[in-house]
Amino acid sequence: MRYLLINTCLPEAAAVYCVNKEGEEVWQEQGHARMLVQVFARYRAQLSEVTGFAIVAGPGRFSSLRVGILSAHVLARWHKKPLFALTREDVATPESRRSVVQEIANGGRAPTEYVAPIYDREPNITTPRP
């Protein structure tokens, strides 16, 4: 059993953790939210072995959060695996990641159909200049 935790709420980065049912990290990647597609391509074969996907719902920046949540939804539906909503505190430290994965693995946290983003401020979407 492995779980993929995605966190795009970090100030200038995103993190992806592949964690086994004991909560030990199998692998970890960090970088800009744009790197998510590259990470998923690199670990494509291992993604089919994942038991469930989890995403930090926020609060976070508009674009990064949208990319992360969309990625988690697509992966969970594509692989027909459960999706879990997390908080920042759930993934803040290796110990908290271990704890939340053990809670998920033991059925203590229910999966969700939809994770809504929680933004840290109002989106500032503007129209392109001519």
Side-chain angles (χ1 to χ4, degrees):
M1 273 202 230
R2 290 185 178 175
Y3 296 89
L4 195 74
L5 314 179
I6 303 169
N7 182 6
T8 54
C9 294
L10 300 170
E12 295 297 324
V16 180
Y17 308 95
C18 184
V19 184
N20 65 21
K21 70 177 182 174
E22 289 80 28
E24 300 162 346
E25 287 181 11
V26 178
W27 55 264
Q28 168 187 331
E29 295 277 343
Q30 289 189 329
H32 196 276
R34 291 181 300 226
M35 66 88 182
L36 289 178
V37 173
Q38 296 165 345
V39 170
F40 300 146
R42 189 175 317 127
Y43 294 100
R44 181 179 51 227
Q46 294 179 23
L47 290 179
S48 63
E49 301 169 4
V50 169
T51 305
F53 295 90
I55 179 71
V56 176
R61 300 175 75 176
F62 181 80
S63 296
S64 299
L65 208 52
R66 299 278 300 201
V67 168
I69 289 178
L70 176 63
S71 298
H73 278 278
V74 168
L75 287 169
R77 291 189 193 275
W78 181 268
H79 292 283
K80 297 179 175 95
K81 304 293 179 162
L83 177 65
F84 298 90
L86 302 179
T87 65
R88 281 181 166 184
E89 292 77 26
D90 289 336
V91 296
T93 65
E95 293 79 22
S96 62
R97 289 191 293 273
R98 186 175 305 115
S99 176
V100 76
V101 167
Q102 289 173 346
E103 181 182 354
I104 290 170
N106 293 329
R109 189 174 290 219
T112 183
E113 287 293 318
Y114 176 73
V115 177
I118 302 167
Y119 303 118
D120 59 1
R121 64 181 82 94
E122 287 295 313
N124 182 18
I125 303 171
T126 59
T127 56
R129 296 181 188 186

